[in-house]
Amino acid sequence: MENNSLRIAICDDDQKDCDKMQGLVKEYLEQKNLVAQVQVFDHPDTMISQCEQFRPHIYILDIVMPMLTGIQAAREMRWNQPDAQIIFATSESSFALESFDVNPINYIMKPVEREKLFSTLDMAISRVEIDKDRFVTVKVKGGMQTLRMDDILYVDYRNHVVSYHLSGRDMISTPTLRIGFSEYLESNHKEDFVRCHESIAVNIAAIDKLTKQEITLRGGEMVPVSKSRYAEVVEKYMDYRF
């Protein structure tokens, strides 16, 4: 998958509406001469799970769906993707006020009009910073490897080796280091990571939930928080969120 390209997610449990939306988005992209990765989902739970790695710039969501409404799904995604552009497309006008809670770019009534959708996509794309995807190149056993920052959950330090824990439970490790963990973080991850334990530092953007004892990361993995570092973690986490 090309990381540095526009990514769009469509979620609608009505197959007919979903197909129509996918067709309109394809038509829009062709008209604007844009290249994008478009993924389509028929259930919000599936979308939330898969988009932890797909990380869309734009979400186009139905609201009335089984088990989880589009607004509830948007709340889940907004937590880890504060800059994502959200478009609601629905046959129910009664959710308009509630939808403001997740700061959507527009609320479009079905049947979706081409001109309305296209103008909304114009606005959404104008706010998307595709080049905002950031990468870091790290020295690993056997050479160098470039990682997307969004894919890194946390790093840990054991026996003079730093291991990068990535989305999907993958892990890569550095060669044996001649410097300590603090110096390594200062040189490589001063801004984006916070040290939550003597031997663990988490990617601040990957934090899903924080308590005094542990951090739940995107995807559900948990790491401990030491009492002496809790205040610093809270401070950096709040700075990032707000």
Side-chain angles (χ1 to χ4, degrees):
M1 180 177 73
E2 294 181 15
N3 289 318
N4 210 27
S5 64
L6 180 66
R7 299 184 294 277
I8 301 173
I10 300 169
C11 187
D12 196 319
D13 65 314
D14 186 301
Q15 188 64 53
K16 185 177 179 181
D17 287 347
C18 197
D19 290 344
K20 179 181 178 181
M21 182 62 73
Q22 187 177 12
L24 286 171
V25 169
K26 181 180 179 182
E27 183 181 337
Y28 172 85
L29 294 170
E30 289 174 350
Q31 186 182 107
K32 300 291 183 177
N33 196 28
L34 293 172
V35 176
Q37 301 171 65
V38 181
Q39 289 197 12
V40 179
F41 306 93
D42 61 6
H43 197 287
D45 284 342
T46 307
M47 178 186 66
I48 290 169
S49 174
Q50 294 191 21
C51 285
E52 285 181 358
Q53 288 187 289
F54 183 50
R55 312 287 286 176
H57 298 101
I58 299 172
Y59 289 88
I60 305 174
L61 309 176
D62 184 22
I63 289 184
V64 182
M65 293 187 286
M67 304 299 290
L68 200 68
T69 70
I71 295 173
Q72 291 170 324
R75 288 195 189 107
E76 289 279 333
M77 296 174 302
R78 178 64 79 204
W79 190 245
N80 277 314
Q81 287 189 268
D83 296 325
Q85 303 301 312
I86 295 171
I87 301 167
F88 288 119
T90 181
S91 57
E92 296 289 338
S93 60
S94 58
F95 291 96
L97 187 61
E98 183 184 352
S99 74
F100 292 153
D101 183 45
V102 293
N103 192 29
I105 196 167
N106 208 349
Y107 189 103
I108 303 174
M109 295 300 297
K110 293 179 179 178
V112 174
E113 297 178 2
R114 176 184 284 98
E115 293 74 18
K116 186 75 170 177
L117 176 64
F118 283 18
S119 64
T120 300
L121 285 169
D122 282 342
M123 193 186 315
I125 289 172
S126 73
R127 299 183 182 186
V128 166
E129 297 181 59
I130 297 173
D131 293 333
K132 194 174 181 180
D133 284 356
R134 293 184 301 113
F135 300 84
V136 60
T137 300
V138 298
K139 189 173 182 179
V140 297
K141 295 173 182 176
M144 306 292 289
Q145 186 161 342
T146 299
L147 306 173
R148 187 167 64 136
M149 284 296 299
D150 271 348
D151 290 338
I152 305 172
L153 298 176
Y154 69 99
V155 296
D156 65 23
Y157 181 74
R158 296 180 185 179
N159 300 320
H160 301 285
V161 170
V162 171
S163 296
Y164 286 76
H165 298 256
L166 311 174
S167 299
R169 308 286 177 171
D170 294 329
M171 184 178 74
I172 65 166
S173 299
T174 66
T176 302
L177 301 174
R178 296 182 178 180
I179 58 176
F181 194 35
S182 294
E183 189 176 346
Y184 183 85
L185 292 174
E186 182 71 20
S187 300
N188 295 276
H189 302 299
K190 185 176 181 180
E191 301 297 330
D192 301 293
F193 285 70
V194 60
R195 198 167 172 183
C196 61
H197 189 272
E198 190 64 26
S199 60
I200 300 172
V202 298
N203 182 350
I204 301 170
I207 297 175
D208 194 32
K209 183 180 178 182
L210 170 64
T211 70
K212 290 185 177 181
Q213 288 79 38
E214 62 191 13
I215 292 171
T216 304
L217 298 164
R218 187 190 319 128
E221 191 166 356
M222 293 185 289
V223 294
V225 179
S226 62
K227 186 176 180 180
S228 62
R229 297 189 178 277
Y230 176 72
E232 181 186 358
V233 175
V234 170
E235 181 180 0
K236 286 198 172 185
Y237 181 59
M238 296 300 284
D239 284 347
Y240 171 79
R241 290 295 176 195
F242 305 104

